[in-house]
Each structure stands twice: as structure tokens, then as C-alpha cells.
Amino acid sequence: MLFSKRKGLSAVRDSVQKEGMDDVLRHGLWNALHICIWEKIEYSHYSETFKSSNVYSLFRHYWHNLFKWPLDNLPAYLDEAHRRVREYFFKCEWYEVYDFIEFTAQNCPKNLAKDFVEFCNHILEKELSAYRFVGSQLTDITSTEELKSIESALDATTKYSGARKHLHTALTHLSDRKSPDFRNSVKESISAVESICVAVSGDSKATLGAALNSIERKKQLHPAFKKALSSLYGYTSDSDGIQHALLEESAISYSDAKFMLVACSAFVNYILGKLGEKS
């Protein structure tokens, strides 16, 4: 904190930016783009044209999939394309800035994505944004512990594509800023746990209960954990028919869906942690 803020001579932001974005936050996110993407532009050994650069594909994605502009309108020179993007960034709505940085994280050169996401999260935290990146997706889970639990589960399930897909889909449903689907987020969260348990048990046809019994025998699964997981599974089977679609309408809230995603991520981490322990 700078001198003037420590001494109370200038205002310190004390409210979370959830449905808006001040200039400081917008500028910080642009600086993340500048430092992690624009300053990392490279060209092939044979040419230094826009088309030979490592960001040409990203700009084509901007034009075709994000802006929905005609591709024959994409400038032939990088400087002009960059100018068009910068003009858009500083004129668009606050939620479109988030769309832009999320889209960039998902479509920029893979070797640049990690640093870009980390830099953005630093800015988002520093300027009290209500959103953070989890992987390459923005979500309004702001607790550091919650973020770490979900990120760890996504990283740990690289070899378990089924569970990883369920977790990613649960996060997508939860973090959709236009039309969140809390009901299906809960369903996907518990499905991730079910998937990882079945995979670890070695029996692809096992029910969750049978898979837990198998893991319990092999890895001394704590009875309290088994009971808690069974209770959560029962909740998703009964509450508004989440698991079995018994009802068309659902009263599942954001808090319910967030809890389930964080809890199920923690359960996935626990199961894979037990798998890594020596018997």
C-alpha cells in the first residue's frame, strides 16, 4: 500500500467489483495482455509478416468467434489489428472485458496462457474484482482456499478424463455470467466424484457404493468420509431430483452449487491422495 493510502490521504477501495469495472481494473487487465501476450509476439524465421506471427491465429479467433466480424476485414498488418482490438477493449462493457480476457486465455498460444492467467488473477485480486480464473475459465468464487481446491482437482484428474470433464462442466455451469445453471452444476460435481471413485476401484460397472467399498478395503477409507460422500450423493438424488431429473423446476441456489463444486473437488483430491499413499 502506498504512503497516501496508509495515511488515509487517499481513498482505499473497500468494496468488491462484481457488476462493474473501474478504470484501474480495466487498465490492469490490459497491462496483463500487453506484458503476457503483446510483448511476447514472435515471428517465423522466414518472415516477419502478421500471418507468420504466433498471435495470428488468436486474432482470427477474435474476428470470427468473439467479435463475429468478417474475416476479410481482418487487417493485413499487426499494428492495425492491435489498434482495433485496443479500441474495442476500452469501449466495451465491463462484462465484455471479462469475455475478452477469458477468450484470450483459451485461445492464445499455449506457452503464454499460464503466465497470462496468473497475471490476470493478480490484478483481479489486487483491484477487488469478484472474479478469478480457475484454469482458463473465469468464475466468481473468490476464496483462495476454494480456488485452490478446484484447481488442484482439475490438475490431479489429468489422467481421469471423465472426472475432469465433469468438474470442468460443473464450473462452466456455475460461472456462466449470463445464464448460470446451478442445478446441472451440482449434478456434474457429484458425477465427478462418482467417476473418479469408479475409475479408482477398477470396476467400470460399479455403483458409487460398491466403488467406495472397494476403495475402503484397499486404502482404509475413513468411515466418516464414506458417510459424508454417501449423504451428498443422497442429497443430489433427492433434492429437486438433481441426479434423476424428477422435477423440471429447481430451487438450487448459487451457494448450493458452489458448495458442491468445492466439496466434490476436495473429495476428488482426497481420493487421489489416498491412491498415492503407500499401503
Side-chain angles (χ1 to χ4, degrees):
M1 188 178 291
L2 296 176
F3 172 83
S4 61
K5 289 184 171 58
R6 295 198 307 270
K7 295 298 183 181
L9 302 174
S10 61
V12 178
R13 171 173 282 281
D14 60 0
S15 59
V16 173
Q17 302 192 63
K18 185 172 180 63
E19 295 185 357
M21 176 181 294
D22 65 14
D23 287 344
V24 174
L25 175 54
R26 190 182 294 247
H27 295 168
L29 293 174
W30 179 258
N31 288 342
L33 286 159
H34 181 78
I35 292 171
C36 300
I37 307 294
W38 313 142
E39 287 191 342
K40 304 295 183 181
I41 293 174
E42 297 177 348
Y43 298 91
S44 73
H45 295 297
Y46 306 102
S47 172
E48 290 192 1
T49 62
F50 183 18
K51 287 187 176 182
S52 73
S53 71
N54 60 336
V55 296
Y56 183 68
S57 176
L58 172 61
F59 277 83
R60 282 178 62 88
H61 279 299
Y62 285 151
W63 253 250
H64 180 59
N65 295 313
L66 183 64
F67 302 145
K68 310 296 184 182
W69 293 343
L71 275 174
D72 59 4
N73 190 249
L74 176 61
Y77 296 97
L78 177 57
D79 286 349
E80 177 60 18
H82 176 271
R83 186 193 66 77
R84 294 272 302 275
V85 166
R86 190 182 194 281
E87 185 177 74
Y88 169 86
F89 186 92
F90 285 101
K91 287 183 177 180
C92 68
E93 297 290 339
W94 67 270
Y95 51 85
E96 292 174 321
V97 171
Y98 285 122
D99 287 344
F100 185 85
I101 64 169
E102 185 177 67
F103 187 89
T104 300
Q106 295 169 357
N107 291 280
C108 71
K110 291 184 178 180
N111 63 314
L112 305 181
K114 183 174 182 293
D115 287 346
F116 175 64
V117 164
E118 289 179 354
F119 198 114
C120 283
N121 272 345
H122 168 70
I123 297 298
L124 294 168
E125 180 178 3
K126 179 182 177 183
E127 305 304 337
L128 295 185
S129 167
Y131 307 98
R132 298 289 187 278
F133 271 108
V134 177
S136 61
Q137 191 144 13
L138 283 168
T139 178
D140 54 354
I141 297 175
T142 54
S143 163
T144 301
E145 291 73 19
E146 290 170 348
L147 287 170
K148 286 182 178 178
S149 179
I150 299 169
E151 287 176 338
S152 295
L154 286 169
D155 289 340
T157 52
T158 302
K159 296 180 180 179
Y160 300 93
S161 59
R164 183 181 176 86
K165 184 177 181 180
H166 284 304
L167 286 173
H168 186 271
T169 304
L171 181 60
T172 298
H173 287 315
L174 178 65
S175 60
D176 189 323
R177 291 181 294 282
K178 294 180 180 177
S179 55
D181 187 345
F182 303 139
R183 185 174 183 273
N184 278 313
S185 179
V186 171
K187 179 181 177 181
E188 293 293 336
S189 293
I190 195 66
S191 293
V193 177
E194 187 174 17
S195 177
I196 201 69
C197 288
V198 170
V200 169
S201 73
D203 182 358
S204 62
K205 297 182 179 179
T207 63
L208 178 61
L212 285 172
N213 288 335
S214 175
I215 297 171
E216 184 178 27
R217 290 193 300 270
K218 295 176 182 178
K219 292 294 179 181
Q220 297 182 335
L221 191 65
H222 196 286
F225 169 82
K226 181 181 176 183
K227 182 179 179 180
L229 183 55
S230 296
S231 296
L232 279 176
Y233 187 77
Y235 164 74
T236 60
S237 296
D238 298 332
S239 181
D240 284 348
I242 294 170
Q243 191 73 6
H244 301 298
L246 297 178
L247 298 176
E248 292 184 3
E249 297 297 326
S250 173
I252 301 301
S253 69
Y254 168 78
S255 295
D256 295 326
K258 184 177 88 166
F259 169 77
M260 286 298 295
L261 177 56
V262 174
C264 289
S265 294
F267 284 151
V268 167
N269 290 328
Y270 176 81
I271 286 291
L272 292 179
K274 294 295 289 184
L275 186 64
E277 293 176 358
K278 294 182 179 179
S279 302

